[in-house]
Amino acid sequence: MPYAIVRIAKLKQVNIAGSGMHVSRGRKTPNANMSMLEHNETLIYFDDRHAPLGEVVHKKIHSVPQKRKIRTDAVHCVEILLTASPEYFRPDDPSKYGDYQADKLADWKKATVDWLKQEYGDKIVRAELHLDEATPHIHAYLVPTDENGQLNCKKIFGGRAKMFAFQDSYAAATQHLGLERGVKNSQAEHTTVKDYYSVVNAASEQVNTNDLQAVQARAVAYARMQREHQELKRRLKLVAEKRDELSDRLEKAQEELRVQKQVDLALSGSEAPLSPLQVACELRLPLGEIDEGIEAIDLVMSNRQTDLEGATRWLTQRFGVVATIQLVNDRVVQIVTEQLPARFSPPKPEREKWGEVKDYLTGTKRLPAKLVERLHEEGLIYADEKGRLICLHRDFDEKVTGATAIYLSVKDCPSESIEGSGLSVGWYYFQSSPQGKIDKVVVIDDPLEAMAYATLNPTEETMLFLAGHEGGWLPGNKLHRVDVVVGSKAEFYNLPGQVEYELPQSESWGEDLEAYLAESIEKVYLVNVKEAAEIEESYGYEMGM
């Protein structure tokens, strides 16, 4: 299986001349076949194809004024080595040194040059094709400038992600030739451009195959040792960072424990509370002018013209955590006690209005009489003096926390929450059967819709039907152990992690129920008039036929 191969070497200014001499054959290259030298080819060049590589790179860098002084250790140029495994160029005999099929070479050369130009454009200042060595390959030299023309190698080759993308890109450009990319994150031993040539150059014409393999093995071992060394440094760095993190956490925990002990001491009341006279002395106030009965914290707020938070900070600085918490805790208890809200009181039931409300629910809304009566007997729904349907909200301890009033006499039955209702601590809900462990919860945004859904979906499972509010908070922590179905388009918050969605076929579950009953009764009517009449009576429904 032939592979696309691409490697890079980052060249500092002092390295460019040597690399350029090697590629241009300006110095002796032991592994090169001098008889094939004339077949080498310059594929891309900037300004002057015969100029020394160092001059070309310098000219390219300074074609745009550099805003910052270039560091002496900066990467001025990146050498890219591009080739393919020997079995691509000479599939009949991959071991045949220097051989290649002309058509395969031409296809690979075109794909590679096209990729270099498309990916990097005029950043490539020189590209040389070498055919005088074992396997055809291209040396391309890239000046790593950013979109503003500033030298910036990290912008192009900084980090593993960009190197992966670089290799992916070249593999994709040569995939049509039958070349494959190496496996990402594999443990295969890759050599750099420098390591590759150090092995090849070490093998003179007199070195036999076994010697060459030994040299290659040493190079691979050295590369592995370098990687292991880098991995060890990385792990040591992680250990040091983890140690520092644990040290910080320990210090923070110790401080929190110290403060908590002070808080517990303050709340226990074992120490005498701070005297207003002591605070007055700290404020440098004449003790004879202090109002009798004034609280210490009020004294600080009035004298320093600050609020409760500012007074708390000042007291903590002067008298410490314990004394301050005692004062602030007493004030908070006072505020909460004075402003304690009255317990929610739902509208009073009006028995004389219930008949009208029941008739509307069973007649107009087509809800089963048995369901309506059961919910009324359980105290979950009733009529108030205004003829509204009242649906009580409860928490999961069945404490009443609020109520929804539905105006049945108004078109589309608008609803409103009764003042004082806790919308995030209680909900209107009922079960398919009064007893039994709940198997499934259905969440809908309207009490009438919840009752319509329950009518349309009879089941032997024990289901809980819960009416939330659009944009409301749901008891997700109570629902994570059961299946949850959301039956409306309304947005709810604090749902458990996994939920299913089931929407009505029409605009609402109420309309779905009306259509279902009309169709069912019509079918039965054609077969058994008496049975159809019983269904009509059960649902308070008349066919009008």
Side-chain angles (χ1 to χ4, degrees), residues 11 231 388 421 462 526:
L11 304 180
E231 176 64 15
R388 301 178 299 180
S421 297
T462 301
L526 297 175

Side-chain angles (χ1 to χ4, degrees), residues 269-286:
S270 58
E271 289 197 1
L274 196 61
S275 166
L277 296 179
Q278 186 178 355
V279 173
C281 288
E282 188 69 22
L283 290 168
R284 299 181 182 277
L285 297 176

Side-chain angles (χ1 to χ4, degrees), residues 169-437:
S169 177
Y170 183 61
T174 56
Q175 186 178 16
H176 66 286
L177 303 178
L179 298 177
E180 296 194 14
R181 187 205 192 286
V183 179
K184 284 186 179 180
N185 294 312
S186 74
Q187 300 303 310
E189 299 294 347
H190 297 309
T191 57
T192 64
V193 175
K194 179 181 178 181
D195 294 332
Y196 173 78
Y197 273 105
S198 67
V199 173
V200 175
N201 291 335
S204 65
E205 295 178 0
Q206 287 76 33
V207 176
N208 60 35
T209 302
N210 291 334
D211 292 335
L212 179 59
Q213 289 177 346
V215 173
Q216 291 173 328
R218 286 196 297 272
V220 169
Y222 175 76
R224 185 188 300 114
M225 181 182 67
Q226 289 289 94
R227 279 193 298 278
E228 290 174 352
H229 176 67
Q230 292 299 323
E231 176 64 15
L232 180 60
K233 287 176 61 178
R234 185 186 69 83
R235 292 187 179 183
L236 287 174
K237 182 180 179 182
L238 290 177
V239 169
E241 291 175 351
K242 191 67 175 179
R243 178 200 61 202
D244 293 341
E245 179 187 348
L246 291 174
S247 178
D248 291 342
R249 288 170 60 182
L250 177 60
E251 184 178 342
K252 183 179 179 181
Q254 290 174 336
E255 177 62 19
E256 290 177 350
L257 180 61
R258 185 185 66 81
V259 172
Q260 186 60 49
K261 287 181 178 179
Q262 292 180 323
V263 171
D264 293 341
L265 179 61
L267 296 178
S268 68
S270 58
E271 289 197 1
L274 196 61
S275 166
L277 296 179
Q278 186 178 355
V279 173
C281 288
E282 188 69 22
L283 290 168
R284 299 181 182 277
L285 297 176
L287 298 185
E289 297 180 8
I290 303 301
D291 294 337
E292 185 177 350
I294 190 171
E295 299 288 342
I297 198 163
D298 291 324
L299 190 60
V300 177
M301 287 193 291
S302 62
N303 182 262
R304 296 186 60 82
Q305 297 184 347
T306 185
D307 56 9
L308 182 61
E309 181 179 350
T312 301
R313 293 182 184 277
W314 185 87
L315 286 164
T316 304
Q317 292 172 354
R318 295 300 194 280
F319 300 102
V321 174
V322 175
T324 303
I325 286 180
Q326 286 182 321
L327 291 179
V328 174
N329 185 59
D330 291 342
R331 175 50 51 89
V332 170
V333 170
Q334 180 183 349
I335 293 173
V336 170
T337 303
E338 291 175 353
Q339 300 182 4
L340 192 66
R343 184 177 178 180
F344 173 77
S345 180
K348 294 181 179 180
E350 180 60 56
R351 292 185 179 182
E352 294 182 1
K353 297 287 185 178
W354 172 243
E356 298 176 11
V357 170
K358 176 185 174 183
D359 290 344
Y360 185 89
L361 295 176
T362 57
T364 304
K365 290 298 181 181
R366 318 297 196 240
L367 296 174
K370 289 183 179 180
L371 173 63
V372 173
E373 281 296 341
R374 178 169 73 83
L375 298 180
H376 181 248
E377 290 173 2
E378 293 176 5
L380 303 182
I381 60 174
Y382 60 87
D384 70 352
E385 63 180 1
K386 298 179 181 179
R388 301 178 299 180
L389 172 65
I390 303 299
C391 303
L392 293 183
H393 304 172
R394 300 170 295 157
D395 60 20
F396 281 173
D397 292 325
E398 299 192 359
K399 175 185 174 182
V400 175
T401 61
T404 296
I406 302 177
Y407 294 82
L408 302 179
S409 60
V410 180
K411 183 180 179 181
D412 297 330
C413 299
S415 62
E416 65 179 7
S417 295
I418 301 298
E419 184 176 355
S421 297
L423 301 182
S424 63
V425 294
W427 307 267
Y428 171 73
Y429 63 87
F430 62 91
Q431 293 183 207
S432 56
S433 58
Q435 305 296 328
K437 181 180 178 182

Side-chain angles (χ1 to χ4, degrees), residues 129-171:
L129 171 65
H130 281 181
L131 300 177
D132 58 351
E133 297 179 64
T135 303
H137 58 273
I138 292 174
H139 292 270
Y141 290 92
L142 177 148
V143 174
T145 54
D146 60 20
E147 61 275 8
N148 297 317
Q150 303 301 298
L151 197 61
N152 188 349
C153 186
K154 287 185 179 180
K155 184 77 172 181
I156 303 175
F157 294 109
R160 290 171 60 85
K162 290 181 180 178
M163 287 305 302
F164 280 150
F166 165 72
Q167 293 168 333
D168 289 342
S169 177
Y170 183 61

